[in-house]
Amino acid sequence: MKALDAAQRLDELLDDTTTAIRPKLKWRDGSTEVLQRNDAALNEPNGEATVSKTRYVRTKVSPAKLDRLLKSVADRWKESGYEVKDTAPKQPGFAGRAPDGFSVRCAVGGSGNIYFDAASSAVEDPGYSGTVPGEKGDRIPKDPDGYPLLKPDVTDPYWSA
């Protein structure tokens, strides 16, 4: 599989995940990145790469609604045949592996940040690491120090209450 094909598959996984959540959430997509894999002994590219993308939830989700959101995601993944496992016992989150080897992780970070990371299984090495051409993601605002503002910024009558 080529990096651009993997990028399209990541979009499908992330879209399927977020459309399972009702009412709908607002989000921003990060860029789609490719990372060359290296041979462990020689530390040189081995001809394979991994493609990944993160979707950041912009909707503020109240602690009282968080379990409902996480359950709807886990239920969708199970319905789709994913193997679902807990990943972070100290904070809410879990990961799913689709039958085709692609994976998605749902995590809740500090300040109520919720995000979904999707990653490919091994793909054909495109000869570089970095952003997949044409897959820069959404424009994410920056704070005064130049760091991306990923904290939820959209209030929703259902999710934020």
Side-chain angles (χ1 to χ4, degrees):
M1 177 178 281
K2 296 189 182 286
L4 193 54
D5 296 327
Q8 292 170 346
R9 177 68 177 128
L10 297 178
D11 285 335
E12 291 170 4
L13 292 170
L14 292 168
D15 289 346
D16 184 59
T17 296
T18 52
T19 58
I21 303 166
R22 296 281 185 235
K24 291 182 181 181
L25 298 170
K26 300 279 187 198
W27 67 81
R28 287 190 176 102
D29 279 337
S31 59
T32 305
E33 301 291 327
V34 63
L35 178 64
Q36 291 177 303
R37 294 182 178 184
N38 287 343
D39 178 271
L42 301 174
N43 198 27
E44 294 178 359
N46 69 2
E48 295 180 338
T50 300
V51 180
S52 63
K53 183 174 190 169
T54 301
R55 181 164 287 175
Y56 304 95
V57 175
R58 294 182 60 200
T59 305
K60 295 176 185 177
V61 176
S62 72
K65 302 281 174 63
L66 183 58
D67 282 343
R68 182 179 186 277
L69 185 148
L70 297 175
K71 183 178 177 346
S72 61
V73 171
D75 288 348
R76 171 57 66 102
W77 290 355
K78 289 173 186 172
E79 289 168 9
S80 298
Y82 292 25
E83 177 185 349
V84 178
K85 294 184 176 183
D86 289 334
T87 58
K90 293 185 179 182
Q91 69 183 54
F94 49 91
R97 180 168 302 278
D100 63 3
F102 280 69
S103 62
V104 186
R105 181 174 65 116
C106 173
V108 181
S111 303
N113 292 351
I114 301 168
Y115 54 95
F116 303 100
D117 291 321
S120 70
S121 51
V123 300
E124 181 182 314
D125 184 351
Y128 67 91
S129 287
T131 303
V132 174
E135 298 289 324
K136 289 185 178 179
D138 298 328
R139 187 179 157 274
I140 297 177
K142 304 218 183 279
D143 69 13
D145 295 323
Y147 295 103
L149 283 171
L150 300 174
K151 186 175 179 180
D153 63 347
V154 176
T155 302
D156 178 86
Y158 176 79
W159 288 111
S160 306

